[in-house]
Amino acid sequence: MNVLRSISMLAVMTMLAASPAAAQISLTPPGVETPTPEPSKPAARPKSKPREVVKEAVKKPAAAAPKPAATPVPDQTVTPAPVPDDPNADYVYAAYQRGRYKTAFDLATKRVQEKGDPKAMTMLGELYANGLGVKLDYDKAIDWYRRASAAGDREGMFALAMLRLSGRGGPGGGGEAAKLLASAAKLGSAKASYNLALLYIDGQNLPQDLKRAAELLRVAADAGNPEAQYALATFYKEGTGVPKDIEKSVRLLQAAALADNVEAEVEYAIALYNGTGTPRNQAAAVALLRKAAKQNNPIAQNRLAWALSSGHGAPVDRVEALKWHIVAKTAGKGDPMLDDAFADMSPEDRAKAEAAARQWLGAK
């Protein structure tokens, strides 16, 4: 059960930037502002400056990018619980997943009373933590999560750790959360391994240890966690806690991109476009950029604008290119070089692009 989202990766990267020991480490997606080879521009036009992760919670690494200004604050957004490991409790979770929260509460309560089922305890904790079928009550949620944790349920451990990191349940939350995440990770929780790694990166609740963080990210990445795959890809790209290995970095980016991690889609697209660590494939790169752009990633929107204006990887379409440039600019990713590149557009085409951009922004 994934009760709370992971800690924000971008926030943790801020702590790395402030740490003397990590002065050379960049953990935000590559190419955010640093010049990287980008899609070729139309002839006679100025060259552009050619990006994580970012997330889900302490959420996402990259190269020579500006450091986020946030501080680590756990994200308390809830996400639906997956089917539990214990098939005997499936009917409780089936009710939960169908939105029948009162039924889930009643069934979970019965299982606890009759069998002392720790997964049912975790379910009760989630229902109280999110006010689903019952009145929101963090104290009761923490009590049920503690009982589930004491009974050995890794999902209860993870959920309790996230609540403690959010400041619920009194002082000392960070230390307790670190212990809970370590216990859940030992029991095979990939998301616990990922979040524990982020605590080692952060260096507040645990001593900063980038090598240990890399080990934990590898465990979570091998288990298929896309956020961990993306973070570890950045580690390999930068040589953070592991030997620098661009090809391994790109393979991890590919895996995370296939799992719909948007930051990974952008960085993998850039690698494909430039042939960095992987055979060059500009058409595939543009397809990925388009996918990420439609998910409102401004870096993808900017790169897509360059690709469409130059005709590398896709037919030239300056109207759509300007549309994405305007959209990216609205999100704070302006590009003066693109302004110059579109300076000679006809009033009619410019009007079409502006109308398309307004329609896209209004539909968000």
Side-chain angles (χ1 to χ4, degrees), residues 173-199:
E176 183 183 2
K179 293 177 181 177
L180 286 162
L181 289 174
S183 296
K186 287 180 180 177
L187 292 173
S189 170
K191 59 181 178 283
S193 294
Y194 169 68
N195 281 275
L196 185 60
L198 300 182
L199 293 184

Side-chain angles (χ1 to χ4, degrees), residues 257 264-266 268-269 272 283-293 295 300:
E265 289 172 357
V266 175
Y268 183 50
L272 281 170
V286 172
L288 268 178
L289 289 174
R290 196 184 299 275
K291 179 182 177 184
Q295 295 177 78

Side-chain angles (χ1 to χ4, degrees), residues 214-286:
E215 293 169 352
L216 287 163
L217 288 175
R218 187 178 295 109
V219 170
D222 288 346
N225 183 289
E227 286 74 29
Q229 290 166 343
Y230 173 65
L232 187 58
T234 299
F235 271 43
Y236 275 114
K237 179 178 181 179
E238 300 296 322
T240 302
V242 293
K244 189 172 182 176
D245 190 323
I246 298 300
E247 290 186 356
K248 279 187 179 180
S249 174
V250 172
R251 285 198 297 270
L252 285 160
L253 287 175
Q254 180 186 34
L258 288 171
D260 297 325
N261 180 288
V262 181
E263 289 80 3
E265 289 172 357
V266 175
E267 293 201 45
Y268 183 50
I270 292 171
L272 281 170
Y273 197 97
N274 297 323
T276 305
T278 186
R280 191 173 189 179
N281 188 334
Q282 292 185 334
V286 172

Side-chain angles (χ1 to χ4, degrees), residues 85-352:
D85 298 334
D86 179 6
N88 294 324
D90 281 0
Y91 62 91
V92 179
Y93 286 80
Y96 174 88
Q97 291 171 331
R98 292 169 183 162
R100 298 168 57 194
Y101 301 123
K102 184 62 172 64
T103 299
F105 179 84
D106 292 339
L107 292 172
T109 300
K110 183 178 180 181
R111 283 195 64 84
V112 170
Q113 292 172 343
E114 295 179 351
K115 301 179 179 293
D117 181 6
K119 292 190 178 297
M121 296 174 190
T122 297
M123 172 58 73
L124 292 173
E126 178 162 351
L127 293 171
Y128 276 116
N130 301 308
L132 301 173
V134 292
K135 183 178 179 180
L136 187 147
D137 190 324
Y138 288 116
D139 290 336
K140 288 184 178 179
I142 288 173
D143 179 60
W144 281 114
Y145 286 147
R146 285 196 196 286
R147 291 177 63 178
S149 299
D153 183 57
R154 69 187 190 188
E155 298 295 338
M157 295 172 190
F158 177 78
L160 179 56
M162 294 296 100
L163 272 184
R164 297 296 282 131
L165 283 172
S166 74
R168 304 289 178 183
E176 183 183 2
K179 293 177 181 177
L180 286 162
L181 289 174
S183 296
K186 287 180 180 177
L187 292 173
S189 170
K191 59 181 178 283
S193 294
Y194 169 68
N195 281 275
L196 185 60
L198 300 182
L199 293 184
Y200 276 113
I201 295 171
D202 176 21
Q204 290 193 28
N205 296 302
L206 290 170
Q208 189 179 78
D209 187 337
L210 300 178
K211 184 176 180 180
R212 177 60 178 150
E215 293 169 352
L216 287 163
L217 288 175
R218 187 178 295 109
V219 170
D222 288 346
N225 183 289
E227 286 74 29
Q229 290 166 343
Y230 173 65
L232 187 58
T234 299
F235 271 43
Y236 275 114
K237 179 178 181 179
E238 300 296 322
T240 302
V242 293
K244 189 172 182 176
D245 190 323
I246 298 300
E247 290 186 356
K248 279 187 179 180
S249 174
V250 172
R251 285 198 297 270
L252 285 160
L253 287 175
Q254 180 186 34
L258 288 171
D260 297 325
N261 180 288
V262 181
E263 289 80 3
E265 289 172 357
V266 175
E267 293 201 45
Y268 183 50
I270 292 171
L272 281 170
Y273 197 97
N274 297 323
T276 305
T278 186
R280 191 173 189 179
N281 188 334
Q282 292 185 334
V286 172
L288 268 178
L289 289 174
R290 196 184 299 275
K291 179 182 177 184
K294 290 179 178 179
Q295 295 177 78
N296 294 316
N297 182 287
I299 303 301
Q301 291 162 351
N302 171 271
R303 300 302 189 276
L304 181 59
W306 273 115
L308 293 174
S309 67
S310 68
H312 292 106
V316 172
D317 187 337
R318 298 188 71 207
V319 171
E320 187 182 1
L322 178 55
K323 163 198 163 180
W324 287 119
H325 171 51
I326 294 171
V327 172
K329 196 172 182 178
T330 302
K333 292 300 176 185
D335 191 329
M337 297 300 178
L338 274 174
D339 286 335
D340 292 341
F342 294 120
D344 63 348
M345 281 189 72
S346 68
E348 294 79 11
D349 283 348
R350 183 173 294 275
K352 289 178 184 178

